[in-house]
Amino acid sequence: MTRHPEPDPTAHAAPAAEITRTDCVQCGTEVYGLDGRYACPLCGWVNHWSEGHTELPVDVDKGR
């Protein structure tokens, strides 16, 4: 039987996301999000992805 080494769980780990809060710009509800990206569950307001505190990961097209 061939024994395969366990993969390193930290090899490609992304940095931990920060939970942030703001007030909804449409209805004033307190909303929480990840790294400055928010969606209000009451009125449906969503801030633009570019308003977040970090860069979004890039998904590389694998030649499709």
Side-chain angles (χ1 to χ4, degrees):
M1 175 162 62
T2 304
R3 185 175 175 111
H4 299 284
E6 293 293 321
D8 182 3
T10 61
H12 299 290
E18 179 183 356
I19 298 174
T20 53
R21 70 153 302 280
T22 193
D23 293 326
C24 175
V25 298
Q26 287 186 357
C27 69
T29 300
E30 182 179 47
V31 293
Y32 291 83
L34 294 176
D35 293 328
R37 293 178 177 90
Y38 306 102
C40 180
L42 297 181
C43 72
W45 168 79
V46 178
N47 72 326
H48 192 265
W49 64 267
S50 65
E51 295 174 6
H53 302 161
T54 60
E55 293 289 323
L56 291 174
V58 177
D59 186 21
V60 178
D61 186 6
K62 306 258 181 190
R64 287 193 234 167

